[in-house]
Amino acid sequence: MTQHLDPRSPWVISTHDLGKRPGTMRQMSLTLPAPADLGVDMIGVRKDTEVELDLRFEAVMEGVLVSGTAQAPLSGECARCLDPLSSDIEVDLQELFFYSDEDASEDDSLMDGELLDLEPTFRDAVVLALPLSPVCRDDCPGLCTECGIKLAEAGADHRHEKIDARWASLQGLVSENDNDQEK
């Protein structure tokens, strides 16, 4: 199945200057807008934020080998206390884009003439590197399971009286008897 890429898309790169001459190489530094829906439940890269790419394109016998790094800002929320958080992620990229589907297997990336699309490679690298449970700090105590208050703000003495369910019905009897004796 041949794909047709839009040369105006920011993530579609032309390799015209490499030709199909193995050993030809070019380096590029790019700033591209982040694609939509790039993340997991608690954290991700917001659409259109700037992604910094430092890439090397090498012509090889089968196609073009792209390698390098990508940096992007992350935003989301702490999995423990639900506070907003932001950080940066840096991922390594390496993908061989085949000239024709004759040399490629089903999961390999193909070129469309002289064009290649970096977005799927970037997307895969970022999503695999994202933490499934991001935290605002390593020692974040989270929320109280009883009342939902942030334990970091509540202090070390935050507690709830726990009554064994087997004795709970006796709780009311003790209170009533205490009130009768006071009269």
Side-chain angles (χ1 to χ4, degrees):
M1 180 179 106
T2 305
Q3 59 182 352
H4 292 290
L5 301 176
D6 180 0
R8 295 173 306 219
S9 171
W11 288 86
V12 173
I13 308 296
S14 173
T15 61
H16 175 75
D17 57 331
L18 293 177
K20 290 190 176 182
R21 299 180 308 273
T24 310
M25 185 194 78
R26 136 179 124 188
Q27 294 206 210
M28 288 179 75
S29 292
L30 302 166
T31 302
L32 300 177
D37 302 321
L38 184 58
V40 291
D41 290 341
M42 302 291 288
I43 195 163
V45 178
R46 290 192 197 275
K47 183 181 186 306
D48 294 331
T49 57
E50 290 187 348
V51 176
E52 302 290 330
L53 296 146
D54 189 16
L55 302 170
R56 182 171 132 170
F57 297 83
E58 273 181 278
V60 296
M61 292 296 288
E62 301 87 1
V64 176
L65 177 65
V66 179
S67 55
T69 59
Q71 292 181 322
L74 292 177
S75 58
E77 56 187 25
C78 177
R80 294 181 190 161
C81 70
L82 304 178
D83 274 351
L85 62 89
S86 61
S87 65
D88 292 317
I89 189 169
E90 182 173 331
V91 292
D92 292 325
L93 304 175
Q94 185 164 353
E95 186 79 25
L96 177 58
F97 291 85
F98 287 87
Y99 291 129
S100 72
D101 54 5
E102 295 167 10
D103 299 327
S105 68
E106 187 177 322
D107 294 332
D108 289 332
S109 300
L110 291 175
M111 295 186 61
D112 179 11
E114 297 175 333
L115 302 176
L116 57 83
D117 186 3
L118 289 174
E119 183 183 329
T121 302
F122 171 70
R123 180 180 295 280
D124 290 348
V126 168
V127 171
L128 289 174
L130 289 174
L132 294 177
S133 296
V135 290
C136 57
R137 61 181 208 264
D138 289 338
D139 63 343
C140 176
L143 302 175
C144 175
T145 57
E146 297 286 321
C147 66
I149 192 170
K150 290 181 187 171
L151 293 174
E153 296 171 0
D157 60 340
H158 180 76
R159 299 194 195 317
H160 294 276
E161 184 179 332
K162 293 189 179 185
I163 300 170
D164 189 330
R166 296 172 292 181
W167 299 102
S169 60
L170 297 177
Q171 183 75 20
L173 295 175
V174 172
S175 298
E176 291 171 13
N177 288 340
D178 288 345
N179 290 339
D180 290 342
Q181 289 176 0
E182 289 177 10
K183 290 181 186 176

